[in-house]
Amino acid sequence: MSFSGPRNVNGHRHQQESNWGNAAANGYARSNIGAKLDGYFDKRELPMYKDKPYNYASSRRKPLWQKWRFTLAILLLLVGLLYWIGMFSPTDARVKLKDRSKSTWSWLNKPAGSKVNWDERREKVKDAFMLSWDGYQKYAWGHDQYHPTSKRGSQMTTAGMGWIIVDALDTLMIMNLTSRLSHAREWITTSLNYEQDQEVNTFETTIRMLGGLLSAHYLSTTFPDMAPLADDDQGAPGEDLYLEKATDLADRLLGAFDSESGVPYASVNLKTLKGIRSHADDGASSTAEATSLQLEFKYLAKLTGEKDYWDKAEKVMKVVDDNGEEDGLVPIFIYAHDGTFRGHNIRLGSRGDSYYEYLIKQYLQTSGEEPVYLHLWNQALTGVRKHLITYSTKSHLTILAERPNGLQSDLQPKMDHLVCFMPGTIALGVTGGKTVAEAKKEGKWGKKEQADLDLAMELTKTCWGMYKTTATGLAPEITFFEIDDPPRSEADGPATPPADPEAAASAEWKDDYVIKHQDAHNLQRPETVETLFYMWRITEDEKYREWGWEMFRSFVNYTQLEGDAGFTSVANVLDVPPKLRDNMESFWLAETLKYFYLLFSPVDLLPLDSIIINTEAHIFPRFKLARGLKTGWERRPRDKDGKMIVEEKKSAEERKPSEEKEPSEEKKKSVEGIEEKGTDGRSKEAVETTKVGESTSKGAS
C-alpha cells in the first residue's frame, strides 16, 4: 500500500520531495566510503507506498571511447562490487543475528501434535512493537520519520505532522500499552497543529492521519478497557480530542476535492485549503489515491452529521464509474479537472490497488445498504479473473499480473508486494467477515463463493512463496514470474499447483520466481500478513497463523538492530546478512505488527463481521445509513455484457424540419391528429409506456 511521505511522489518529483523531505536521506547507512559509492552508482529513490517502485527509463548512451571517465568508472565499479559483497562494510552496516546457531525455521521441527501457545507468540509481537516504539521515542520523538540506524528523526513538514505517533495510536490501544499511549496523547494535545502553510499528499494524510485519529476515537469510546485513560472518559475535558483533531484535519483536506470534476487533487495546502495537482504524470491524480478516501470521510460524516464529507467523497466514485471502463478495471491515473483517465495501465499494485479494496469495504461499511459497491466489486473481480490471472510455468502458481498498455495488450507477469492485499480482500468479500462455516450454515454459499475462495487461497500461496524463496525469508518489493508463451488464462482451466511451497517435493517451484536486484529490498510492508489475518479468521485454517509466525521470525532475525534502536528496512532480501536501509516505516507500527498481533490473538478481539479496516489498518465500525446519509448516485445503464450504454441525443437543430414552408391544406387538416399522437408520430400512450420502461431500466441498473 515506500516512505512515510506522499504516495504520488517518485524519484523524479523534486518539487514534492522538497516539501516532504528528501527520500534519499532514508537510504543505506552512509557513514563510510562504500555508502558514497552507492550514491554514485544508484541515484534512484525508494518508492512511495502506492507509487511505482522505480523509474525504468533507459538512458542515452555514447560509445565507450567518447567517455573520458570510462577507466575511472570501471575502477569505481570494482570498488563498489567489493563493498557490495561486504569487504568494506563496518559491523553496524549489517544486521548481527541474535543466534546464528539456531535455524529460523527450527520451530517447524517440533513433533506433530505439539501444542502451540499463541498467546506467547502474540507477546513476542508486542515486544517487537515496544522495542520499535521505544527506539523512536528515545531518538526521534515527535518527528515524522525515524532513521534507526543513525538514531535520528526528520520532518516531512516544517512543524511536523505526528506521522508515526498518530499512525500508531490504535495499535497502542489494541496492545494495551497504556503508559505509551498516554505519552502519545499528551503530544497530540500540546504539539499537534495542522495550521501549517504546507503542501501534503491528500491520500496519505487521509488514510494515515485522519484514519488514525478516527480509529483512536472509535476504540477509545467503544472499548474503554483498551489502554484505559481517564482523559478519554465521558465528560472529561479531553473526551473528544481525537474527533476534534480529525474534524480540523478533514476540513483542511476538503480543499483537495474542489476540482471541476470533483476528483481530488493529489495534494492540498493545509493553510490555504487549496488543492494542488500532481507535479508529475501530466498533473493526473492516482486512481487508487482518489478512490481510497471514502471510508474515512463517510465515517466522519456519520460521527458529525456533516453530509458534505459524505457527498464529496461519494461523488468521486460516480465520476470514476461514468468512464465506463471495460469489465470494471480502471487505469491507474485520472485527471482531476475533467474526471477522465490518463493512459491505459491496468494493475492492482501501486496506484491501482486500494480502488478495488474500497469497493467491497464501502459495501460492508454501511452494512450492505449500498449495493452499488457490491456490483462494482463483483464486476471488477470478474474482470480480474478474465484479464489478469495467469499461471507460472513449472509449479502453476496463480499470478495476478498487469496489463501496462491496456486490456488488449500483452500481459506482464509482475506482482508488487502491494498486490498481496487482494487475496484477503477476496475472502472478505466472499463471507463479509464471517467464517466459511457460518456462511455455509446461513445458506450463503454456492459455486461462485467457493471459486472466489479458491482463488484467494491460491493467490495467498503465491504471496507466501515470495517469502519462502529468499535467503532471509523476507519478500522483495517486486516479483516477476516465469510464465508460458502465450500465457495461460483462467479460462484455459487452472493447473494443479503444489499443496504449498513448504510441502513441495523439490525446490523447483522457486525457479518460477524472478527477483531483480533493483526490486530486492524489503520495506516492512504489511500486505501479506494482512491477507494471512483475513484468511485465518475466515477459513479457520491454522496454517495461515503458522506461515505468519515464520514471517515474523524472519523480520526479527534480519531487520532488528543491535541495541535499543528497534527495526529497520533492508536493501536486499537475497543477502544474508542483509544490508540495511536507514528507515522504519510508520506502517511497520500501524499495520505490519498490528496484523501479526491480531493474527495470533483470539478471534473475539475485534470480530471481522462488526468492523471494517481501512487501507492503513485503522479500525472503523460498521453502521446503518441514517441522518440523511444515503447513496447519492446511480450507475449509468449497462448492457448484458456490462458495457455502458451511450445514449444518443439529437440536438434541437437536428430535430428541426429540413424546410420551412407553409403547410399544405392536407397537413393543416391533420393538425388535430398530430396533437393526439405527439411530435414523433407515436400515440401518447406509447410515449408514456416508453418513459416508464426507460425509468425501470435505469433503476434496475
Side-chain angles (χ1 to χ4, degrees), residues 95-103 558 576-577:
V95 176
K96 184 177 180 181
L97 303 182
K98 293 296 184 181
D99 188 354
R100 294 290 300 277
S101 66
K102 294 183 179 180
S103 168
Y558 294 110
V576 175

Side-chain angles (χ1 to χ4, degrees), residues 206-207 210-211 214 291-302 310 313 317 354 357-366 370 612-616 618 620-621 623:
T206 298
I207 65 165
L210 182 59
L214 290 173
T291 56
S292 303
L293 316 168
Q294 286 65 31
L295 296 180
E296 295 78 8
F297 277 94
K298 284 184 170 183
Y299 179 39
L300 184 58
K302 170 67 165 58
W310 184 286
M317 305 306 299
S354 50
E357 176 187 356
Y358 271 37
L359 293 180
I360 188 61
K361 288 186 175 180
Q362 284 187 80
Y363 171 70
L364 296 174
Q365 181 184 39
T366 51
E370 296 186 278
I612 206 71
I613 305 176
N614 88 337
T615 197
E616 188 72 9
H618 294 311
F620 304 153
F623 56 85

